[in-house]
């Protein structure tokens, strides 16, 4: 049954019309217990969702909707290996990659845990060798530079996490991430590397992705020109599900770290795709990250919905995007190490829930996944926060706030924290014309200086950024996106929308080399192709 035909949906529509004009400023004034009621703690991880446009009735009504949509059964189905990716008939088991309790999880009657543990141990041995210098390049030198070649899910997670955990990185290795087919990406990165001491990780689930394969070939040519063909096994490893293609490329399958079709690309940083993360921070810290994610998984699976962080975030997402019609939301990490988090979450959320068909194939009539953007604090404050405070759009925001800095210096972190706390307060309270008048602001400027407030935020606090807390944070968002996908009645785990552009690019590629004018497209595309051909001669 679709979202809008649920009984609870109608009750929520009524609740929305009764409460949407309430101001959070008044709700806080009326109820000093609001923080205690609307916040949760999981170890040192705190979620304050009190600055949302909700009353005591909102969450129970949203939970009714979750129950009517069968959320509990869907969670159990994911954790037990059912094929919830229904357009591709696949299980969805990133939770198995961090299943530190090691309880069996079955796919086609086979426990997947022994294979997952075997690959993790292989990554352990290999990363130890590279980190302690005993893995040698073809000329007997230890590795100094790791180049991860991959795109989308095979790039965003590893890159985001190695940046987020840079403080825990070994000094002995430099990391580079090549994703774009634009030659500038690989050329600029290889300038910093020497063939004798560079190790390439070719990360591709399918091992057929055009960008990754072309970049990997370029890297191989760069290496072979310097050191000869025999150097390849010393300098290339593959992270993939496709043994046949890996061998065709010339990488020995003993240098292949496997994962499986039940791991979606954008959920793969916990698998062999995370080898760069393990190389950067070491096996123990990588396992700590898995443990953090596992803690969030267990919380998600077991906590009642009214005490369940991912469920609450997902339900609030539905509240704003479906009922309030918010089309966007912002993720604002007050931690410079998390500068790639918004880009990572953009894929996680928008590729997962940017869909328009319900389970039965029908076209959906309500809004689905939101548009996500973000920037680390306080940079965003000097840029797009203007629109969040005074623009005409309602943009719910998540503030992510490590309490302690990994680089304590002077007053920097106190100032950062003060800003991270002030922004949600300002967004909630706003500033009234009366307050401005009292301050003596000239009448003519009052409309411009008024802040409407009533703009929703969540604050997620943690003691400091650690591998464990990163694991918890990413798992929190993965499950939030899952919750929204279940309520929206879509398949959050496919991505058919990326196919069409790829097919058309394959058609255009030979046309760029054909001297005859191109006529096979619409007049705009034809004209652009022909103009480019003219300029390039
Ligand atoms: C993620 C998507 C996509 C994928 C890339 C790379 O969920 O499937 O971003 O990760 O297209 O694919 P390969 O890993 O197969 O090269």
């Amino acid at each position: 049954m679709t979202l809008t035909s649920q009984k609870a949906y109608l009750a929520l529509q009524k609740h929305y019309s009764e409460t949407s004009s309430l101001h959070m400023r008044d709700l806080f004034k009326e109820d000093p217990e609001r923080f205690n009621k609307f916040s949760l703690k999981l170890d040192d991880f705190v979620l304050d969702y009190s600055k949302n446009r909700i009353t005591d009735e909102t969450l129970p009504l949203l939970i009714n909707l979750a129950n009517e949509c069968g959320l509990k059964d869907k969670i159990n189905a994911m954790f037990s290996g059912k094929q919830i990716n229904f357009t591709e008939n696949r299980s969805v088991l990133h939770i198995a990659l961090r299943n530190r309790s090691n309880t069996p999880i079955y796919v086609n009657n086979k426990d997947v845990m022994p294979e997952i543990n075997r690959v993790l141990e292989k990554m352990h041995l290999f990363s130890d060798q590279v980190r302690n210098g005993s893995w040698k390049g073809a000329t007997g030198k230890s590795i100094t530079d790791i180049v991860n070649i991959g795109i989308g899910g095979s790039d965003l997670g590893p890159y985001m996490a190695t940046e987020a955990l840079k403080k825990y990185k070994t000094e002995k290795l430099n990391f580079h991430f090549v994703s774009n087919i634009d030659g500038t990406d690989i050329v600029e990165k290889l300038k910093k590397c020497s063939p004798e001491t560079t190790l390439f990780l070719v990360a591709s689930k399918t091992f057929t992705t055009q960008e990754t394969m072309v970049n990997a070939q370029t890297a191989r040519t760069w290496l072979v020109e310097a050191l000869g063909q025999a150097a390849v096994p010393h300098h290339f490893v593959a992270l993939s599900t496709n043994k046949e293609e890996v061998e065709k490329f010339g990488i020995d399958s003993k240098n292949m770290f496997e994962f499986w079709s039940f791991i979606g690309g954008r959920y793969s940083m916990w698998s062999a795709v995370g080898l760069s993360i393990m190389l950067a921070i070491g096996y123990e810290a990588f396992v700590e990250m898995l443990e953090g994610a596992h803690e969030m998984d267990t919380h998600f699976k077991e906590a009642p919905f009214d005490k369940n962080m991912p469920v609450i975030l997902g339900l609030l997402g539905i509240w704003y995007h479906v009922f309030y019609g918010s089309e966007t939301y912002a993720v604002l990490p007050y931690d410079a190490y998390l500068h790639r988090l918004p880009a990572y979450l953009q894929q996680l959320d928008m590729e997962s829930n940017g869909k328009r068909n319900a389970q039965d194939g029908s076209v959906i009539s309500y809004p689905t996944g939101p548009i996500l953007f973000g920037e680390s604090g306080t940079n965003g404050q000097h840029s797009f926060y203007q629109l969040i405070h005074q623009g005409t759009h309602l943009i719910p925001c998540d503030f992510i706030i490590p309490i302690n800095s990994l680089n304590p210096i002077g007053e920097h972190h106190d100032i950062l924290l003060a800003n991270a706390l002030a922004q949600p307060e300002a967004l909630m309270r706003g500033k009234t014309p009366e307050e401005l008048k009292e301050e003596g602001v000239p009448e003519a400027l009052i409309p411009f200086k008024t802040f409407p407030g009533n703009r929703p935020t969540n604050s997620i606090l943690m003691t400091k950024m650690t591998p464990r807390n990163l694991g918890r944070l990413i798992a929190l968002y993965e499950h939030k996106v899952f919750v929204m996908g279940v309520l929206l009645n879509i398949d959050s785990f496919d991505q058919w929308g990326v196919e069409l552009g790829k097919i058309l690019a394959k058609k255009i590629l030979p046309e760029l080399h054909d001297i005859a004018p191109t006529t096979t497209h619409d007049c705009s595309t034809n004209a652009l192709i022909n103009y480019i051909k003219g300029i390039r001669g």
Side-chain angles (χ1 to χ4, degrees), residues 149 186 190 200 214-226 228-229 232 236 247-251:
I149 300 179
I186 190 158
L190 290 185
F200 292 98
V214 172
N215 276 322
Q217 292 290 357
T218 300
R220 188 164 65 178
T221 305
W222 177 82
L223 183 91
V224 168
E225 275 173 5
Q229 189 66 35
V232 173
F236 274 85
E247 282 173 346
K248 257 197 232 159
F249 181 87
I251 297 178

Side-chain angles (χ1 to χ4, degrees), residues 34-335:
R34 204 172 155 84
F35 172 79
N36 292 333
K37 276 189 201 162
F38 299 138
S39 63
L40 286 175
K41 200 163 179 290
L42 179 63
D43 202 7
D44 77 334
F45 217 68
V46 172
L47 168 65
D48 171 20
Y49 63 98
S50 61
K51 293 191 187 83
N52 277 292
R53 292 172 73 164
I54 55 173
T55 67
D56 290 351
E57 285 81 49
T58 316
L59 204 56
L61 287 170
L62 285 164
I63 289 173
N64 288 346
L65 185 64
N67 289 334
E68 286 179 16
C69 293
L71 179 60
K72 190 77 206 164
D73 288 347
K74 293 278 170 54
I75 295 173
N76 289 337
M78 174 166 75
F79 277 82
S80 59
K82 300 261 156 50
Q83 296 191 334
I84 60 169
N85 177 353
F86 54 83
T87 70
E88 296 180 306
N89 298 324
R90 285 182 183 163
S91 308
V92 174
L93 281 177
H94 43 285
I95 54 103
L97 298 166
R98 61 244 187 164
N99 174 19
R100 301 306 297 160
S101 60
N102 210 22
T103 45
I105 299 176
Y106 295 95
V107 171
N108 300 328
N109 300 321
K110 196 176 158 220
D111 180 10
V112 297
M113 290 314 298
E115 267 297 279
I116 286 174
N117 294 332
R118 182 187 65 76
V119 175
L120 188 64
E121 196 42 36
K122 187 172 170 181
M123 290 164 68
H124 181 185
L125 291 176
F126 179 75
S127 61
D128 276 358
Q129 283 178 351
V130 175
R131 283 164 60 87
N132 68 24
S134 60
W135 177 279
K136 303 288 185 204
T139 59
K141 291 190 178 164
S142 300
I143 299 301
T144 58
D145 288 80
I146 307 288
V147 181
N148 187 86
I149 300 179
I151 196 164
S154 299
D155 166 73
L156 287 159
Y159 184 27
M160 176 277 295
T162 46
E163 287 294 294
L165 301 174
K166 208 177 215 164
K167 193 69 184 176
Y168 304 88
K169 177 183 98 59
T170 171
E171 293 283 304
K172 292 184 194 149
L173 295 171
N174 305 310
F175 288 81
H176 315 273
F177 289 83
V178 172
S179 55
N180 206 324
I181 189 63
D182 184 341
T184 302
D185 199 8
I186 190 158
V187 166
E188 285 299 332
K189 282 166 192 156
L190 290 185
K191 273 186 195 165
K192 299 176 192 141
C193 303
S194 149
E196 286 182 285
T197 56
T198 297
L199 177 71
F200 292 98
L201 315 179
V202 185
S204 177
K205 180 173 168 180
T206 54
F207 232 72
T208 55
T209 303
Q210 190 182 38
E211 293 92 328
T212 302
M213 290 303 109
V214 172
N215 276 322
Q217 292 290 357
T218 300
R220 188 164 65 178
T221 305
W222 177 82
L223 183 91
V224 168
E225 275 173 5
L227 303 178
Q229 189 66 35
V232 173
H234 304 270
H235 295 267
F236 274 85
V237 300
L239 323 174
S240 187
T241 59
N242 192 341
K243 192 161 169 241
E244 210 181 312
E245 288 296 325
V246 167
E247 282 173 346
K248 257 197 232 159
F249 181 87
I251 297 178
D252 193 326
S253 58
K254 75 174 192 302
N255 292 340
M256 169 176 168
F257 298 83
E258 293 146 283
F259 59 113
W260 309 271
S261 64
F262 53 77
I263 306 300
R266 56 191 172 276
Y267 299 88
S268 65
M269 61 175 258
W270 323 95
S271 72
V273 167
L275 185 61
S276 53
I277 311 170
M278 194 187 282
L279 284 162
I281 64 175
Y283 171 78
E284 282 75 20
F286 186 84
V287 167
E288 218 188 273
M289 183 181 84
L290 298 182
E291 282 168 0
H294 180 58
E295 284 163 21
M296 188 56 75
D297 295 343
T298 309
H299 165 78
F300 178 51
K301 189 162 175 265
E302 291 173 2
F305 287 172
D306 62 345
K307 301 267 177 298
N308 191 314
M309 287 192 188
V311 170
I312 288 174
L313 286 185
L315 293 179
L316 289 169
I318 294 291
W319 183 228
Y320 293 116
H321 301 300
V322 176
F323 293 92
Y324 275 83
S326 293
E327 291 186 329
T328 58
Y329 83 103
V331 176
L332 309 165
Y334 276 63
D335 180 347

